[in-house]
């Protein structure tokens, strides 16, 4: 039996090992050009290399090994509908106050005294990540802004979704009906791998949302767009407000603002919209196609 045939019919564990090996190969390959990356845009260039070498290419090669046709295996073989994309944008803005309150709560968590050293380490990781983000958001011009959107929006959105939803979630789910287990397992890994505990729960919910978008629609372009749009908004806010956080959406719904009540309105509205979009937009076309096929 050929190695590709063996991998294609192998267990979940073997496929996960293959994916890990491909990612490690990507790390090795990008480490070579990273030695020569210097200057003002070194951080941004490194992000390009990381997303392409550690996520996009390994996911594509893994999909070829697992399913033969990478585009079809990753669920990238059909274009999303404009209505679906619009629903994701609406959900983003409606859910913002709720997410802001969740971020605020997550950041306020303090561990027991016995775990003081662990908490100190987590705070250090958070500060390091915040420093990197702050450096990336020092945008000087429109071309620089577009380059940042390409890096943290397009490439990061594509790369992380191809790995976590396109490969991991589908491999964990397999041919069974373990969709919920697969969605939440990959959402947990997606949030944990960022090593940012004080943003863990908002990122967990975001990862779960991306996962359910794939389950509902069977189209990876939807979670990619959601991820892309969420990340790109960070760059847009930084660019159009000159990094002045007091003029952004970040305070909506927080207890320190006069709009604290919006968090609860946002929670109810988001839940209602999710149910409505799930029933009328994301799953309706698939159900209709299924009925049409049965009639034929």
């Amino acid at each position: 039996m050929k190695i590709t045939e063996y991998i294609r019919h192998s267990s979940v564990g073997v496929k996960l090992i293959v994916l890990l090996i491909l990612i490690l190969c990507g790390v090795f390959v990008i480490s070579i050009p990273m030695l020569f990356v210097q200057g003002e845009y070194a951080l941004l260039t490194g992000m390009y290399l990381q997303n392409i070498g550690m996520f996009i290419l390994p996911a594509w090669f893994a999909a070829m090994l697992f399913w033969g046709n990478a585009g079809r295996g990753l669920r990238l073989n059909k274009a999303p509908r404009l209505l679906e994309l619009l629903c994701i944008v609406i959900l983003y803005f409606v859910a913002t106050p709720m997410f802001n309150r969740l971020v605020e709560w997550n950041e306020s968590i303090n561990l027991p005294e016995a775990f003081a050293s662990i908490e100190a380490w987590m705070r250090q990781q958070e500060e390091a990540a915040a420093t990197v983000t702050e450096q990336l958001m020092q945008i000087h011009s429109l071309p620089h802004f577009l380059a940042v959107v390409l890096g943290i929006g397009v490439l990061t959105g594509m790369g992380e979704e191809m790995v976590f939803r396109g490969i991991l979630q589908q491999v964990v789910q397999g041919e069974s009906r373990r969709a919920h287990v697969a969605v939440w397992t990959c959402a947990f890994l997606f949030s944990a791998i960022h090593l940012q505990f004080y943003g863990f729960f908002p990122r967990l919910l975001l990862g779960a949302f991306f996962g359910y978008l794939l389950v509902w629609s069977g189209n990876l372009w939807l979670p990619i767009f959601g991820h892309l749009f969420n990340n790109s908004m960070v760059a847009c806010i930084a660019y159009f407000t000159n990094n002045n956080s007091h003029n952004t959406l970040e305070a909506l719904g927080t207890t320190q603002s006069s709009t604290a009540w919006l968090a609860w309105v946002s929670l109810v509205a988001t839940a209602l919209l999710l149910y409505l979009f799930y029933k009328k937009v994301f799953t309706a076309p698939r159900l209709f196609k299924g009925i049409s096929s049965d009639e034929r």
Side-chain angles (χ1 to χ4, degrees):
M1 180 183 291
K2 295 181 179 179
I3 185 67
T4 53
E5 287 295 320
Y6 170 74
I7 293 174
R8 194 167 300 170
H9 297 94
S10 61
S11 64
V12 171
V14 170
K15 288 179 178 176
L16 294 181
I17 291 173
V18 170
L19 176 62
L20 180 60
I21 291 173
L22 289 171
I23 291 174
L24 291 176
C25 289
V27 172
F28 175 75
V29 170
I30 67 171
S31 65
I32 298 173
M34 281 296 293
L35 295 174
F36 305 95
V37 174
Q38 297 178 354
E40 184 179 2
Y41 301 110
L43 191 61
L44 190 57
T45 304
M47 177 177 291
Y48 286 4
L49 292 172
Q50 174 181 294
N51 284 316
I52 295 171
M54 289 180 57
F55 294 104
I56 295 176
L57 291 181
W60 190 264
F61 286 129
M64 290 176 62
L65 291 172
F66 298 165
W67 301 300
N69 186 313
R72 182 173 296 177
L74 286 166
R75 307 295 182 89
L76 292 170
N77 57 320
K78 62 177 181 178
R81 294 179 298 147
L82 181 60
L83 178 59
E84 294 171 327
L85 303 182
L86 181 61
C87 288
I88 293 172
V89 173
I90 292 171
L91 279 168
Y92 173 86
F93 287 108
V94 171
T96 291
M98 175 194 72
F99 262 89
N100 288 344
R101 179 69 69 86
L102 184 59
V103 169
E104 183 183 44
W105 168 78
N106 200 161
E107 291 176 344
S108 69
I109 293 177
N110 292 308
L111 298 181
E113 195 66 31
F115 301 99
S117 59
I118 297 177
E119 182 172 354
W121 174 79
M122 291 192 300
R123 294 286 181 187
Q124 288 177 348
Q125 294 296 122
E126 198 75 20
E127 291 171 5
T131 300
V132 171
T133 301
E134 185 177 343
Q135 291 174 352
L136 281 170
M137 292 302 108
Q138 297 301 315
I139 303 173
H140 312 303
S141 63
L142 179 59
H144 187 195
F145 164 69
L146 295 176
V148 170
V149 170
L150 176 62
I152 72 169
V154 178
L155 293 179
T156 299
M158 286 193 65
E160 293 188 355
E161 291 310 306
M162 285 173 70
V163 168
F164 285 98
R165 256 59 67 175
I167 299 293
L168 278 176
Q169 182 172 312
Q170 294 196 88
V171 167
V172 172
Q173 181 174 347
E175 300 298 327
S176 69
R177 297 184 178 276
R178 299 175 298 187
H180 297 296
V181 173
V183 166
W184 286 100
T185 298
C186 294
F188 177 86
L189 293 173
F190 168 71
S191 188
I193 204 170
H194 285 80
L195 294 178
Q196 291 176 262
F197 174 78
Y198 296 99
F200 179 85
F201 291 104
R203 191 173 287 108
L204 175 71
L205 288 185
L206 201 60
F209 173 60
F210 296 154
Y212 280 113
L213 280 178
L214 178 60
V215 172
W216 295 342
S217 68
N219 190 341
L220 189 64
W221 286 115
L222 294 187
I224 286 176
F225 175 78
H227 199 146
L228 181 161
F229 185 80
N230 178 74
N231 287 14
S232 297
M233 281 301 296
V234 176
C236 290
I237 291 171
Y239 180 67
F240 291 107
T241 65
N242 294 317
N243 291 297
N244 185 354
S245 61
H246 296 293
N247 296 325
T248 70
L249 300 173
E250 294 175 1
L252 283 177
T254 61
T255 57
Q256 302 301 316
S257 72
S258 59
T259 59
W261 56 275
L262 269 179
W264 302 108
V265 175
S266 172
L267 175 63
V268 174
T270 300
L272 290 174
L273 284 177
L274 272 174
Y275 180 77
L276 177 64
F277 292 158
Y278 162 72
K279 285 290 188 180
K280 302 297 183 181
V281 179
F282 296 123
T283 60
R286 298 180 74 194
L287 293 174
F288 177 76
K289 287 179 182 177
I291 292 172
S292 299
S293 299
D294 292 341
E295 289 174 350
R296 287 195 297 270

